[in-house]
Amino acid sequence: MGKLDFSPIADTTRRAEIVALLRRAILTGQLEPGQKLNELRIAEQMRVSRAPLREAMRELVQEGILTSIPYAGTFVIDVTAKDIDDAYSLNKVLDEFAIELTWKLRDERFFDELDRRHEAVKQATRDLDTTRQIETALQLHGLIYEWADNSVLLETWQRLTSRLQMYFALHQHARNEPVPAEDVHETYVRLLKGQDMRAAQRHAREHIDLDFEELLAYARSLEQRTSKGGRADRAGRTNSA
Amino acid sequence: MGKLDFSPIADTTRRAEIVALLRRAILTGQLEPGQKLNELRIAEQMRVSRAPLREAMRELVQEGILTSIPYAGTFVIDVTAKDIDDAYSLNKVLDEFAIELTWKLRDERFFDELDRRHEAVKQATRDLDTTRQIETALQLHGLIYEWADNSVLLETWQRLTSRLQMYFALHQHARNEPVPAEDVHETYVRLLKGQDMRAAQRHAREHIDLDFEELLAYARSLEQRTSKGGRADRAGRTNSA
DNA sequence: GACAAGCAGATTGTCGACAATCTAACAAGA
DNA sequence: TCTTGTTAGATTGTCGACAATCTGCTTGTC
């Protein structure tokens, strides 16, 4: 009797596919921050009615990458330097916690998966596929969250990830230079395999620092340019209690 | 020239009202964990069509208090002891961080608001209104998050709050005893007004401990009862990437 | 009696049309 | 010229109906 694990079959609703499509478009920067999403046009392009499209948009609003103003429209969130800074500092705290939880649960399968994801990053780097590079790097980073066995923490991280990916993609789009050739993740992986938890936590902080500092500088420079032509000044309250 | 600040007017879409109604029903325990939400029936009761209702449900799914299985239905999330434990441990970490961020930003307005919310809890306690007691206690606790000036952290806390409120309400419903008469928040408020940040952080942890320990014990006992009559065994994957 | 096929009934997913609201352009009056 | 009222167009919010899917029962067969 083979002990085969079947994974759940794909969600076959239009809504789910639309969510995936839109999310990808936003996270890769095809839809720019602040841009308005015209329901009619998008629905026509996707050959779908507005109902599932609107439901999909509601999901992405709650996911934090869209924002909705009643009777005005749904927009890709605006990226401010403060947003990035906020996400950055929270991420540091969560990382420390995730490493702590994961530490005792590491095993062979963990190390294997760690190597696999590390390899994916290196492959994307060789291919000069910056979008995929961001994606794989975040997946590598996310392993400690998946392994921590804390569903709420994982959810939180995934929400954060959406934004981080968007921020990084935005950054990449601007300066179209491929990211550093040297492997910045080498040390991270090595420490996660080692015995010194504190050292791993410390490095996670500093490693993130590196990426973010550059990102922040870019965001701040953007802020200068944008401030003159600011759009919607209405407070986009979406999560009113 | 009067310098009057107008707050944004209320959202006047049916969708927003439905979200509020449903959320309240769930968080107060009127809708029980695991219960299925029949769209047609709810829509009729609310005198609303299914479109805005479904959009509202999509929001609550992303908010984490509903879960959806395509072509099967949308259900109130099931509460497991592990969920509570997960939320509990993450909350400790976030509390520590929130206090750290808030600490330097405390001012007169902060202390006033702290007192105001503390008073609200005491009032609810006097009224023996357990539901409101939970609500106000969480609002008191949430002040440090609102004050921390980190939007991502605040969002995270609000998501967590939804669940916590649901868990506590569930607990209260079961044992219909009014919560401790003595004021467990006295110390918390005093420490937040003091000068010793570490002490405040430490107390936040231990104070939460108290409430949660009881909650956890209850959840575990529930688990025993429920395990025999388990419902949907399909993996309710909702956030497939 | 056990089991598979097939058939209602109910429920969710999707569609196209209508109503409510916003925006911008234009006209009228101080 | 500036402000205010009006109107037309576009877009979002909502509705009622239809299609796709699931569930449980019935039927027929062995």
Side-chain angles (χ1 to χ4, degrees):
Chain A
M1 192 78 70
K3 49 176 179 180
L4 177 56
D5 293 359
F6 286 106
S7 57
I9 65 172
D11 292 342
T12 49
T13 62
R14 298 188 194 285
R15 183 183 69 239
E17 290 195 46
I18 296 171
V19 166
L21 272 175
L22 281 181
R23 186 191 287 125
R24 183 154 194 87
I26 296 168
L27 297 189
T28 60
Q30 293 176 282
L31 286 169
E32 295 176 10
Q35 187 173 344
K36 176 174 176 178
L37 278 66
N38 185 312
E39 297 180 1
L40 216 52
R41 188 164 61 238
I42 296 180
E44 279 173 5
Q45 288 178 358
M46 290 189 180
R47 304 289 185 82
V48 169
S49 90
R50 283 174 57 220
L53 171 63
R54 283 173 58 88
E55 290 184 18
M57 286 164 85
R58 256 3 108 204
E59 290 192 19
L60 294 176
V61 166
Q62 283 305 103
E63 201 171 304
I65 60 181
L66 289 182
T67 176
S68 157
I69 302 176
Y71 289 107
T74 305
F75 308 81
V76 179
I77 58 166
D78 266 318
V79 175
T80 69
K82 179 138 197 355
D83 286 335
I84 298 178
D85 203 34
D86 288 354
Y88 160 46
S89 58
L90 177 59
N91 198 27
K92 284 200 290 194
V93 173
L94 294 183
D95 260 20
E96 214 168 329
F97 184 45
I99 291 179
E100 186 183 321
L101 289 183
T102 299
W103 203 255
K104 286 162 296 201
L105 303 174
R106 295 174 306 160
D107 57 8
E108 268 315 307
R109 278 179 48 238
F110 175 81
F111 296 129
D112 288 349
E113 186 63 19
L114 197 62
D115 285 332
R116 209 184 61 73
R117 299 193 184 189
H118 188 195
E119 189 52 48
V121 180
K122 289 193 280 193
Q123 182 59 47
T125 306
R126 281 195 294 271
D127 296 347
L128 297 179
D129 185 341
T130 55
T131 299
R132 178 123 189 83
Q133 201 173 358
I134 297 170
E135 228 175 74
T136 52
L138 282 171
Q139 276 168 8
L140 169 63
H141 205 65
L143 182 58
I144 55 175
Y145 289 91
E146 295 174 27
W147 221 262
D149 190 36
N150 182 322
S151 58
V152 187
L153 174 63
L154 178 58
E155 252 178 61
T156 304
W157 155 252
Q158 282 170 341
R159 287 176 62 77
L160 211 54
T161 294
S162 286
R163 303 207 180 177
L164 296 183
Q165 190 167 348
M166 180 174 162
Y167 298 159
F168 277 116
L170 187 65
H171 184 207
Q172 293 286 14
H173 256 249
R175 352 196 131 176
N176 207 6
E177 57 193 16
V179 233
E182 12 112 23
D183 188 349
V184 289
H185 303 291
E186 195 73 55
T187 316
Y188 176 72
V189 171
R190 186 165 42 73
L191 283 173
L192 276 185
K193 288 181 176 175
Q195 297 303 322
D196 189 346
M197 186 177 85
R198 292 285 171 211
Q201 290 178 319
R202 211 175 317 120
H203 177 268
R205 283 201 174 199
E206 287 154 11
H207 163 230
I208 299 179
D209 266 83
L210 269 178
D211 295 1
F212 266 91
E213 288 307 335
E214 210 188 343
L215 186 56
L216 261 176
Y218 168 65
R220 293 223 176 79
S221 72
L222 258 187
E223 219 110 305
Q224 304 301 333
R225 291 205 294 105
T226 316
S227 57
K228 63 170 167 52
R231 358 179 148 58
D233 51 358
R234 281 181 57 177
R237 288 201 46 184
T238 298
N239 295 327
S240 62
Chain B
M1 191 81 70
K3 49 177 178 181
L4 177 57
D5 293 1
F6 286 104
S7 58
I9 65 172
D11 294 343
T12 49
T13 62
R14 297 189 194 284
R15 183 183 69 238
E17 290 196 45
I18 296 172
V19 167
L21 272 176
L22 280 182
R23 187 191 287 125
R24 184 154 193 86
I26 296 168
L27 297 189
T28 61
Q30 294 176 281
L31 286 169
E32 294 176 10
Q35 187 172 344
K36 176 173 175 178
L37 277 67
N38 186 312
E39 298 179 0
L40 215 52
R41 188 165 62 237
I42 295 179
E44 280 174 4
Q45 288 178 358
M46 291 189 179
R47 306 287 186 81
V48 168
S49 89
R50 284 173 56 220
L53 171 63
R54 282 173 59 85
E55 290 184 18
M57 285 164 87
R58 256 4 106 202
E59 290 191 20
L60 294 177
V61 166
Q62 282 305 104
E63 202 172 304
I65 61 181
L66 289 182
T67 177
S68 157
I69 303 176
Y71 289 108
T74 306
F75 309 81
V76 179
I77 57 165
D78 266 318
V79 175
T80 69
K82 180 138 196 357
D83 286 335
I84 297 178
D85 203 34
D86 288 353
Y88 160 44
S89 58
L90 178 58
N91 197 29
K92 285 199 290 194
V93 174
L94 294 183
D95 259 19
E96 214 167 330
F97 184 44
I99 290 179
E100 186 182 321
L101 290 183
T102 300
W103 202 255
K104 284 162 297 201
L105 302 175
R106 295 175 306 160
D107 57 9
E108 268 314 307
R109 278 180 48 239
F110 175 81
F111 295 130
D112 289 349
E113 185 65 18
L114 196 64
D115 286 332
R116 208 184 61 73
R117 298 193 184 190
H118 188 195
E119 189 51 48
V121 180
K122 289 193 280 194
Q123 182 59 48
T125 306
R126 281 194 294 272
D127 296 347
L128 297 180
D129 185 340
T130 55
T131 299
R132 178 123 190 84
Q133 200 173 359
I134 296 170
E135 228 175 75
T136 52
L138 283 171
Q139 276 168 8
L140 169 63
H141 205 64
L143 182 58
I144 56 175
Y145 289 91
E146 295 174 28
W147 221 263
D149 190 36
N150 182 321
S151 57
V152 188
L153 175 63
L154 178 58
E155 252 177 62
T156 305
W157 155 251
Q158 283 170 339
R159 289 175 60 77
L160 211 55
T161 293
S162 288
R163 304 208 180 176
L164 296 184
Q165 190 167 347
M166 181 174 161
Y167 297 160
F168 278 116
L170 187 64
H171 183 207
Q172 293 286 15
H173 256 250
R175 353 195 130 176
N176 207 6
E177 56 192 15
V179 232
E182 11 112 24
D183 189 349
V184 290
H185 303 292
E186 194 74 56
T187 316
Y188 176 71
V189 171
R190 185 166 42 73
L191 282 173
L192 277 184
K193 288 182 176 175
Q195 296 303 321
D196 189 346
M197 186 177 85
R198 292 285 173 214
Q201 290 178 319
R202 210 174 319 119
H203 176 268
R205 283 202 173 198
E206 288 154 10
H207 162 230
I208 299 179
D209 266 82
L210 269 179
D211 296 1
F212 266 90
E213 288 307 333
E214 212 187 341
L215 186 56
L216 261 177
Y218 168 65
R220 293 222 178 80
S221 72
L222 258 188
E223 219 111 305
Q224 305 302 332
R225 291 206 294 105
T226 317
S227 57
K228 63 170 166 54
R231 2 178 145 58
D233 50 359
R234 281 180 58 177
R237 289 201 44 185
T238 297
N239 296 326
S240 61

